[in-house]
Amino acid sequence: MHRIGDAPKVRRALVSAAVILSALFLLLPLVAIFAQAFSAGADVFWRNITQPDTLSAIGLTLFITVLTIPVNLVFGVALAWLVTRFRFPGRRLLQTLIDIPFAVSPVVAGLVYLLLYGRNGWIGGWLDTHDIQLMFAWPGILMVTIFVTCPFVARELIPLMQAQGSRDEEAAVTLGASGWTLFRRVTLPNIRWALLYGVILTNARAVGEFGAVSVVSGAIRGQTNTLPLHVELLYQDYNTVGAFASASLLALIALLTLATKAGLEWRAARREA
Amino acid sequence: MSIRLKNIAKTYGKAGRGVSRALEPLDLDIHEGELIGLLGPSGSGKTTLLRIIAGLEAADTMSDRPSSIHFGDRDVTHLHVRDRRIGFVFQHYALFMHMSVFDNVAFGLTALPRKQRPSSGEIRARVQRLLEMVQLESLANRYPAQLSGGQQQRVSLARALALRPDVLLLDEPFGALDAKVRQELRRWLRHLHDELNFTSVFVTHDQEEALELSDRVVVMSNGRIEQIDSPEVLYRSPANRFVFEFLGDVNRLEGHVHDGTLTCGDARLDVDLDEGSHELLLRPHEIKLDEHPTELAHLPVTITAIAPVGAEVRVELEADWLAEPWLATIRHADFERLRIKRGQRLYAIPRQWHQFPAANQRSIASETMS
């Protein structure tokens, strides 16, 4: 048997093309971020990072992420459970609806939230008369972040739970297990890796979300500025080193996320072997 | 504990959009201590019936004829699965893969509400006893993935028995196992059933398994019960053609009867039947082979295949007057006496035949022994 691309010439060409393209498009930008961030020395980098506005942006981003993850964790598990374990009218429709945040541009999502919950919006007007402000404040940022990231956990779980079927749960219930016992001792152990994977993806997106957040945040320095927005503000202020210092933080979080994901996959592969 | 089913029916789908009836309304009485086999081809409704008994599926609610399920005196019709006190064994074991064998068996006990839960020492002792019963005490700390299929099914049985259920329900319990292990487990389950004396219902599509294991067999097809009887009665006097055909291999003889003789091509057989077209059915062991026809039977056949299987020889027969080949099982002694070879021409002599004139009538079996 002769496989396609097995000839030494073809193989060399393909491998070098892959290496060059990855270096140009993936590796080089990453290196550039850190190179730029440290271009004026480590103490300038440190000064930029410890600036009050930057610290506030870091804090806000982490705050939003920490709130988003548990909300989407519960939402994703509940949705996956509902869709895979029950038959009801509208089940297909619901499965399609889950994908809306993926299909819609984040900017559009932000605008829709602004339209609904802004001071002149349909619901926002009523909220305003009761002195509740969602837009241009952290609750708005949280809302759009949840919206943008809500499919990740459910999307990870649904195919897995469909493949696993409900046999284990039926077995548990014939053994007298209550709903909570069943979930904690049978369902959760079966889905834990996929769940963790979904959480990692949610985390990555929540930290890095720009489009939707930029519409609803107002980017008030020290108040509603998240880290990705802060990078843009610094860059527009011609503070290149500062922008890249903050960007390097985002890159670092991304790298950590990737490492965790790779570690999980490695563990899962080892468990299967 | 006896099981009493009344008016159990099951329909899938919605009215107007392709309704399929999985179970016609049926009644079934299972006595205390019985081992009952639900036998039928796939799609006959046997698994649905078992799952309804378990409470994993709900029977249809019919306003005119309310359905009910009783375990002994206990009305469990509206009881949730977890409160029915059943043991359920799944075809593919459904063991919890992330738990050790011990934890699997202990699951039902550890899932009890704190007030009813035995102490951990007592749980350990009970699980130990169950594992001894299924002869797996040495594997308590293994994980299901490290066990063979037969061992896994024994674990799942021990797990189902841990809460001392009133009834034990088994869904094709040996279906996923190879022939030898299946035989072994069957014998062992029968033994366990006699020893512990619970009421069991198991589903199977294997007639041999049903006949060997059950006190009574419930034969099902198309969501209906065709016959409920002990294996002997079932085999000796099947209620209808479906039961007869499902319980073993069947040979067909179609022909026209005139003056007490059925003819079909150059084949003749004397029968005690009315004038007209008839179809006779014969079991493979009811066919004898000889070098000469008898006065009553003249059925020339050609041997087309020979397979010695265990105590007998399976022989395939063909003839111009046969629409499809016959299968005959003959003794080794006859096989050697006739020096049977492929292509040889012999005469078939029925010892007995069966006929099912209309649906749901008992068979007419006739002796035509020469």
Side-chain angles (χ1 to χ4, degrees), chain B residues 1 10 14 16 30 34 37 44-45 55 94 119 140 159 215-216 260 262 265 275 278 300 309 319 321 325 336 352 365:
Chain B
M1 186 83 46
K10 181 76 184 173
K14 254 198 235 151
I30 295 167
E34 257 190 325
S44 59
S119 69
R159 183 179 69 175
D215 294 319
R216 285 193 300 157
L262 180 137
E275 303 278 311
H278 286 276
V309 180
W321 47 274
E336 275 153 33
Q352 191 184 8

PDB file of all heavy atoms in Angstrom, chain B residues 1 10 14 16 30 34 37 44-45 55 94 119 140 159 215-216 260 262 265 275 278 300 309 319 321 325 336 352 365:
ATOM      1  N   MET B   1     -42.887 -13.127  46.698  1.00  0.00           N
ATOM      2  CA  MET B   1     -43.915 -12.091  46.495  1.00  0.00           C
ATOM      3  C   MET B   1     -44.528 -12.272  45.103  1.00  0.00           C
ATOM      4  O   MET B   1     -43.807 -12.312  44.115  1.00  0.00           O
ATOM      5  CB  MET B   1     -43.235 -10.723  46.600  1.00  0.00           C
ATOM      6  CG  MET B   1     -44.175  -9.560  46.564  1.00  0.00           C
ATOM      7  SD  MET B   1     -44.958  -9.105  48.131  1.00  0.00           S
ATOM      8  CE  MET B   1     -43.600  -9.113  49.298  1.00  0.00           C
ATOM      9  N   LYS B  10     -49.037  -0.305  26.399  1.00  0.00           N
ATOM     10  CA  LYS B  10     -48.046   0.745  26.171  1.00  0.00           C
ATOM     11  C   LYS B  10     -48.069   1.172  24.719  1.00  0.00           C
ATOM     12  O   LYS B  10     -47.958   0.351  23.818  1.00  0.00           O
ATOM     13  CB  LYS B  10     -46.648   0.229  26.535  1.00  0.00           C
ATOM     14  CG  LYS B  10     -45.561   1.245  26.351  1.00  0.00           C
ATOM     15  CD  LYS B  10     -45.582   2.262  27.468  1.00  0.00           C
ATOM     16  CE  LYS B  10     -44.551   3.362  27.255  1.00  0.00           C
ATOM     17  NZ  LYS B  10     -44.696   4.425  28.254  1.00  0.00           N
ATOM     18  N   LYS B  14     -47.337   9.899  19.352  1.00  0.00           N
ATOM     19  CA  LYS B  14     -48.538  10.681  19.629  1.00  0.00           C
ATOM     20  C   LYS B  14     -49.626  10.331  18.641  1.00  0.00           C
ATOM     21  O   LYS B  14     -49.340   9.949  17.518  1.00  0.00           O
ATOM     22  CB  LYS B  14     -48.202  12.172  19.503  1.00  0.00           C
ATOM     23  CG  LYS B  14     -48.120  12.858  20.856  1.00  0.00           C
ATOM     24  CD  LYS B  14     -48.232  14.352  20.645  1.00  0.00           C
ATOM     25  CE  LYS B  14     -47.057  15.053  21.254  1.00  0.00           C
ATOM     26  NZ  LYS B  14     -46.714  16.277  20.592  1.00  0.00           N
ATOM     27  N   GLY B  16     -52.079  10.403  15.758  1.00  0.00           N
ATOM     28  CA  GLY B  16     -52.035  11.148  14.503  1.00  0.00           C
ATOM     29  C   GLY B  16     -50.658  11.217  13.882  1.00  0.00           C
ATOM     30  O   GLY B  16     -50.520  11.607  12.735  1.00  0.00           O
ATOM     31  N   ILE B  30     -48.162 -13.741  38.240  1.00  0.00           N
ATOM     32  CA  ILE B  30     -46.942 -14.493  38.510  1.00  0.00           C
ATOM     33  C   ILE B  30     -46.976 -14.888  39.983  1.00  0.00           C
ATOM     34  O   ILE B  30     -47.181 -14.047  40.853  1.00  0.00           O
ATOM     35  CB  ILE B  30     -45.701 -13.642  38.192  1.00  0.00           C
ATOM     36  CG1 ILE B  30     -45.666 -13.341  36.695  1.00  0.00           C
ATOM     37  CG2 ILE B  30     -44.436 -14.364  38.635  1.00  0.00           C
ATOM     38  CD1 ILE B  30     -44.689 -12.270  36.310  1.00  0.00           C
ATOM     39  N   GLU B  34     -41.928 -18.011  41.793  1.00  0.00           N
ATOM     40  CA  GLU B  34     -41.795 -18.521  40.437  1.00  0.00           C
ATOM     41  C   GLU B  34     -40.610 -17.885  39.721  1.00  0.00           C
ATOM     42  O   GLU B  34     -40.233 -16.749  39.993  1.00  0.00           O
ATOM     43  CB  GLU B  34     -43.065 -18.222  39.636  1.00  0.00           C
ATOM     44  CG  GLU B  34     -43.952 -19.421  39.458  1.00  0.00           C
ATOM     45  CD  GLU B  34     -45.074 -19.163  38.471  1.00  0.00           C
ATOM     46  OE1 GLU B  34     -45.597 -18.028  38.420  1.00  0.00           O
ATOM     47  OE2 GLU B  34     -45.441 -20.098  37.762  1.00  0.00           O
ATOM     48  N   GLY B  37     -40.013 -16.804  32.466  1.00  0.00           N
ATOM     49  CA  GLY B  37     -39.287 -16.309  31.308  1.00  0.00           C
ATOM     50  C   GLY B  37     -40.227 -15.608  30.359  1.00  0.00           C
ATOM     51  O   GLY B  37     -41.274 -16.145  30.011  1.00  0.00           O
ATOM     52  N   SER B  44     -41.345  -7.721  20.329  1.00  0.00           N
ATOM     53  CA  SER B  44     -42.566  -8.381  20.787  1.00  0.00           C
ATOM     54  C   SER B  44     -43.126  -7.726  22.038  1.00  0.00           C
ATOM     55  O   SER B  44     -44.229  -8.031  22.464  1.00  0.00           O
ATOM     56  CB  SER B  44     -42.293  -9.863  21.055  1.00  0.00           C
ATOM     57  OG  SER B  44     -41.295 -10.003  22.036  1.00  0.00           O
ATOM     58  N   GLY B  45     -42.363  -6.828  22.656  1.00  0.00           N
ATOM     59  CA  GLY B  45     -42.865  -6.110  23.817  1.00  0.00           C
ATOM     60  C   GLY B  45     -42.401  -6.679  25.145  1.00  0.00           C
ATOM     61  O   GLY B  45     -42.797  -6.195  26.200  1.00  0.00           O
ATOM     62  N   GLY B  55     -41.024  -0.303  36.806  1.00  0.00           N
ATOM     63  CA  GLY B  55     -41.333   1.104  37.021  1.00  0.00           C
ATOM     64  C   GLY B  55     -40.410   2.019  36.256  1.00  0.00           C
ATOM     65  O   GLY B  55     -40.452   3.233  36.416  1.00  0.00           O
ATOM     66  N   ALA B  94     -24.436  -2.593  33.265  1.00  0.00           N
ATOM     67  CA  ALA B  94     -24.622  -1.246  33.826  1.00  0.00           C
ATOM     68  C   ALA B  94     -23.926  -1.101  35.174  1.00  0.00           C
ATOM     69  O   ALA B  94     -24.447  -0.466  36.088  1.00  0.00           O
ATOM     70  CB  ALA B  94     -26.116  -0.908  33.950  1.00  0.00           C
ATOM     71  N   SER B 119     -24.816   0.202  59.682  1.00  0.00           N
ATOM     72  CA  SER B 119     -23.485   0.704  60.010  1.00  0.00           C
ATOM     73  C   SER B 119     -22.491   0.196  58.961  1.00  0.00           C
ATOM     74  O   SER B 119     -22.751  -0.780  58.276  1.00  0.00           O
ATOM     75  CB  SER B 119     -23.056   0.194  61.379  1.00  0.00           C
ATOM     76  OG  SER B 119     -22.835  -1.197  61.301  1.00  0.00           O
ATOM     77  N   ALA B 140     -13.044  -8.239  45.282  1.00  0.00           N
ATOM     78  CA  ALA B 140     -13.783  -7.103  45.834  1.00  0.00           C
ATOM     79  C   ALA B 140     -13.158  -5.758  45.505  1.00  0.00           C
ATOM     80  O   ALA B 140     -13.860  -4.772  45.321  1.00  0.00           O
ATOM     81  CB  ALA B 140     -13.908  -7.256  47.354  1.00  0.00           C
ATOM     82  N   ARG B 159     -25.281  -6.961  43.276  1.00  0.00           N
ATOM     83  CA  ARG B 159     -25.698  -5.586  43.546  1.00  0.00           C
ATOM     84  C   ARG B 159     -27.223  -5.495  43.615  1.00  0.00           C
ATOM     85  O   ARG B 159     -27.780  -4.834  44.485  1.00  0.00           O
ATOM     86  CB  ARG B 159     -25.154  -4.679  42.430  1.00  0.00           C
ATOM     87  CG  ARG B 159     -25.464  -3.225  42.632  1.00  0.00           C
ATOM     88  CD  ARG B 159     -24.892  -2.372  41.517  1.00  0.00           C
ATOM     89  NE  ARG B 159     -25.579  -2.602  40.246  1.00  0.00           N
ATOM     90  CZ  ARG B 159     -25.344  -1.925  39.130  1.00  0.00           C
ATOM     91  NH1 ARG B 159     -24.413  -0.985  39.129  1.00  0.00           N
ATOM     92  NH2 ARG B 159     -26.000  -2.180  38.031  1.00  0.00           N
ATOM     93  N   ASP B 215     -39.913 -21.767  35.273  1.00  0.00           N
ATOM     94  CA  ASP B 215     -41.018 -22.600  35.751  1.00  0.00           C
ATOM     95  C   ASP B 215     -42.157 -22.518  34.747  1.00  0.00           C
ATOM     96  O   ASP B 215     -42.775 -23.503  34.399  1.00  0.00           O
ATOM     97  CB  ASP B 215     -41.505 -22.109  37.111  1.00  0.00           C
ATOM     98  CG  ASP B 215     -40.444 -22.306  38.176  1.00  0.00           C
ATOM     99  OD1 ASP B 215     -39.796 -23.369  38.147  1.00  0.00           O
ATOM    100  OD2 ASP B 215     -40.258 -21.402  39.004  1.00  0.00           O
ATOM    101  N   ARG B 216     -42.427 -21.290  34.329  1.00  0.00           N
ATOM    102  CA  ARG B 216     -43.417 -21.078  33.271  1.00  0.00           C
ATOM    103  C   ARG B 216     -42.843 -20.083  32.272  1.00  0.00           C
ATOM    104  O   ARG B 216     -42.095 -19.187  32.643  1.00  0.00           O
ATOM    105  CB  ARG B 216     -44.723 -20.523  33.840  1.00  0.00           C
ATOM    106  CG  ARG B 216     -45.553 -21.577  34.589  1.00  0.00           C
ATOM    107  CD  ARG B 216     -46.951 -21.084  34.851  1.00  0.00           C
ATOM    108  NE  ARG B 216     -46.959 -19.864  35.652  1.00  0.00           N
ATOM    109  CZ  ARG B 216     -47.958 -18.997  35.658  1.00  0.00           C
ATOM    110  NH1 ARG B 216     -49.005 -19.184  34.882  1.00  0.00           N
ATOM    111  NH2 ARG B 216     -47.905 -17.937  36.425  1.00  0.00           N
ATOM    112  N   GLY B 260     -58.363 -38.886   1.454  1.00  0.00           N
ATOM    113  CA  GLY B 260     -57.475 -39.276   2.549  1.00  0.00           C
ATOM    114  C   GLY B 260     -56.014 -39.333   2.168  1.00  0.00           C
ATOM    115  O   GLY B 260     -55.197 -39.850   2.911  1.00  0.00           O
ATOM    116  N   LEU B 262     -52.745 -36.847   0.829  1.00  0.00           N
ATOM    117  CA  LEU B 262     -52.243 -35.525   0.482  1.00  0.00           C
ATOM    118  C   LEU B 262     -51.193 -35.688  -0.605  1.00  0.00           C
ATOM    119  O   LEU B 262     -50.252 -36.474  -0.454  1.00  0.00           O
ATOM    120  CB  LEU B 262     -51.652 -34.865   1.726  1.00  0.00           C
ATOM    121  CG  LEU B 262     -51.082 -33.456   1.553  1.00  0.00           C
ATOM    122  CD1 LEU B 262     -51.499 -32.567   2.706  1.00  0.00           C
ATOM    123  CD2 LEU B 262     -49.578 -33.494   1.450  1.00  0.00           C
ATOM    124  N   GLY B 265     -46.844 -32.652  -5.968  1.00  0.00           N
ATOM    125  CA  GLY B 265     -45.906 -33.154  -6.968  1.00  0.00           C
ATOM    126  C   GLY B 265     -45.928 -34.673  -6.958  1.00  0.00           C
ATOM    127  O   GLY B 265     -47.001 -35.277  -6.953  1.00  0.00           O
ATOM    128  N   GLU B 275     -61.207 -32.925   2.500  1.00  0.00           N
ATOM    129  CA  GLU B 275     -60.786 -32.561   1.145  1.00  0.00           C
ATOM    130  C   GLU B 275     -60.323 -31.099   1.130  1.00  0.00           C
ATOM    131  O   GLU B 275     -60.817 -30.276   1.880  1.00  0.00           O
ATOM    132  CB  GLU B 275     -61.988 -32.682   0.176  1.00  0.00           C
ATOM    133  CG  GLU B 275     -62.636 -34.039   0.152  1.00  0.00           C
ATOM    134  CD  GLU B 275     -61.909 -35.021  -0.746  1.00  0.00           C
ATOM    135  OE1 GLU B 275     -61.615 -34.645  -1.898  1.00  0.00           O
ATOM    136  OE2 GLU B 275     -61.609 -36.149  -0.286  1.00  0.00           O
ATOM    137  N   HIS B 278     -54.124 -28.114   2.340  1.00  0.00           N
ATOM    138  CA  HIS B 278     -53.692 -28.186   3.736  1.00  0.00           C
ATOM    139  C   HIS B 278     -52.208 -27.893   3.843  1.00  0.00           C
ATOM    140  O   HIS B 278     -51.447 -28.103   2.898  1.00  0.00           O
ATOM    141  CB  HIS B 278     -53.976 -29.578   4.311  1.00  0.00           C
ATOM    142  CG  HIS B 278     -55.425 -29.817   4.585  1.00  0.00           C
ATOM    143  ND1 HIS B 278     -56.051 -29.422   5.738  1.00  0.00           N
ATOM    144  CD2 HIS B 278     -56.382 -30.398   3.817  1.00  0.00           C
ATOM    145  CE1 HIS B 278     -57.330 -29.760   5.691  1.00  0.00           C
ATOM    146  NE2 HIS B 278     -57.564 -30.355   4.526  1.00  0.00           N
ATOM    147  N   PRO B 300     -40.051 -38.718  -1.674  1.00  0.00           N
ATOM    148  CA  PRO B 300     -38.658 -38.841  -2.128  1.00  0.00           C
ATOM    149  C   PRO B 300     -37.884 -37.542  -1.915  1.00  0.00           C
ATOM    150  O   PRO B 300     -38.381 -36.465  -2.241  1.00  0.00           O
ATOM    151  CB  PRO B 300     -38.809 -39.131  -3.631  1.00  0.00           C
ATOM    152  CG  PRO B 300     -40.140 -38.560  -4.003  1.00  0.00           C
ATOM    153  CD  PRO B 300     -41.005 -38.612  -2.791  1.00  0.00           C
ATOM    154  N   VAL B 309     -23.986 -32.938  14.831  1.00  0.00           N
ATOM    155  CA  VAL B 309     -23.982 -31.991  15.953  1.00  0.00           C
ATOM    156  C   VAL B 309     -24.351 -32.757  17.208  1.00  0.00           C
ATOM    157  O   VAL B 309     -25.498 -33.134  17.392  1.00  0.00           O
ATOM    158  CB  VAL B 309     -24.985 -30.846  15.726  1.00  0.00           C
ATOM    159  CG1 VAL B 309     -24.953 -29.877  16.900  1.00  0.00           C
ATOM    160  CG2 VAL B 309     -24.690 -30.114  14.430  1.00  0.00           C
ATOM    161  N   ALA B 319     -36.159 -31.443  -2.510  1.00  0.00           N
ATOM    162  CA  ALA B 319     -36.942 -32.210  -3.481  1.00  0.00           C
ATOM    163  C   ALA B 319     -37.690 -31.225  -4.359  1.00  0.00           C
ATOM    164  O   ALA B 319     -37.874 -30.067  -3.989  1.00  0.00           O
ATOM    165  CB  ALA B 319     -37.928 -33.135  -2.771  1.00  0.00           C
ATOM    166  N   TRP B 321     -40.744 -31.212  -5.014  1.00  0.00           N
ATOM    167  CA  TRP B 321     -42.055 -30.877  -4.464  1.00  0.00           C
ATOM    168  C   TRP B 321     -41.962 -29.999  -3.218  1.00  0.00           C
ATOM    169  O   TRP B 321     -42.979 -29.637  -2.626  1.00  0.00           O
ATOM    170  CB  TRP B 321     -42.854 -32.150  -4.170  1.00  0.00           C
ATOM    171  CG  TRP B 321     -42.047 -33.199  -3.414  1.00  0.00           C
ATOM    172  CD1 TRP B 321     -41.226 -34.145  -3.947  1.00  0.00           C
ATOM    173  CD2 TRP B 321     -41.968 -33.346  -2.007  1.00  0.00           C
ATOM    174  NE1 TRP B 321     -40.637 -34.889  -2.977  1.00  0.00           N
ATOM    175  CE2 TRP B 321     -41.074 -34.436  -1.763  1.00  0.00           C
ATOM    176  CE3 TRP B 321     -42.568 -32.703  -0.929  1.00  0.00           C
ATOM    177  CZ2 TRP B 321     -40.767 -34.855  -0.478  1.00  0.00           C
ATOM    178  CZ3 TRP B 321     -42.265 -33.136   0.348  1.00  0.00           C
ATOM    179  CH2 TRP B 321     -41.360 -34.188   0.574  1.00  0.00           C
ATOM    180  N   PRO B 325     -36.023 -26.175   1.650  1.00  0.00           N
ATOM    181  CA  PRO B 325     -35.472 -27.450   2.115  1.00  0.00           C
ATOM    182  C   PRO B 325     -35.989 -27.826   3.512  1.00  0.00           C
ATOM    183  O   PRO B 325     -36.352 -26.968   4.307  1.00  0.00           O
ATOM    184  CB  PRO B 325     -33.971 -27.198   2.158  1.00  0.00           C
ATOM    185  CG  PRO B 325     -33.728 -25.869   1.579  1.00  0.00           C
ATOM    186  CD  PRO B 325     -35.004 -25.167   1.403  1.00  0.00           C
ATOM    187  N   GLU B 336     -25.393 -44.215  10.166  1.00  0.00           N
ATOM    188  CA  GLU B 336     -24.412 -45.193   9.717  1.00  0.00           C
ATOM    189  C   GLU B 336     -25.066 -46.341   8.951  1.00  0.00           C
ATOM    190  O   GLU B 336     -24.541 -46.826   7.955  1.00  0.00           O
ATOM    191  CB  GLU B 336     -23.619 -45.727  10.917  1.00  0.00           C
ATOM    192  CG  GLU B 336     -22.449 -44.807  11.242  1.00  0.00           C
ATOM    193  CD  GLU B 336     -22.037 -44.876  12.696  1.00  0.00           C
ATOM    194  OE1 GLU B 336     -22.150 -45.963  13.297  1.00  0.00           O
ATOM    195  OE2 GLU B 336     -21.630 -43.828  13.236  1.00  0.00           O
ATOM    196  N   GLN B 352     -44.860 -38.010  12.886  1.00  0.00           N
ATOM    197  CA  GLN B 352     -45.921 -37.188  13.475  1.00  0.00           C
ATOM    198  C   GLN B 352     -45.947 -35.875  12.718  1.00  0.00           C
ATOM    199  O   GLN B 352     -44.923 -35.442  12.187  1.00  0.00           O
ATOM    200  CB  GLN B 352     -45.558 -36.926  14.937  1.00  0.00           C
ATOM    201  CG  GLN B 352     -46.661 -36.329  15.750  1.00  0.00           C
ATOM    202  CD  GLN B 352     -46.193 -36.013  17.167  1.00  0.00           C
ATOM    203  OE1 GLN B 352     -45.012 -36.106  17.491  1.00  0.00           O
ATOM    204  NE2 GLN B 352     -47.105 -35.632  18.009  1.00  0.00           N
ATOM    205  N   ALA B 365     -52.445 -32.828  16.411  1.00  0.00           N
ATOM    206  CA  ALA B 365     -51.245 -33.611  16.128  1.00  0.00           C
ATOM    207  C   ALA B 365     -51.681 -35.002  15.753  1.00  0.00           C
ATOM    208  O   ALA B 365     -52.617 -35.555  16.326  1.00  0.00           O
ATOM    209  CB  ALA B 365     -50.349 -33.653  17.347  1.00  0.00           C
TER     210      ALA B 365
END
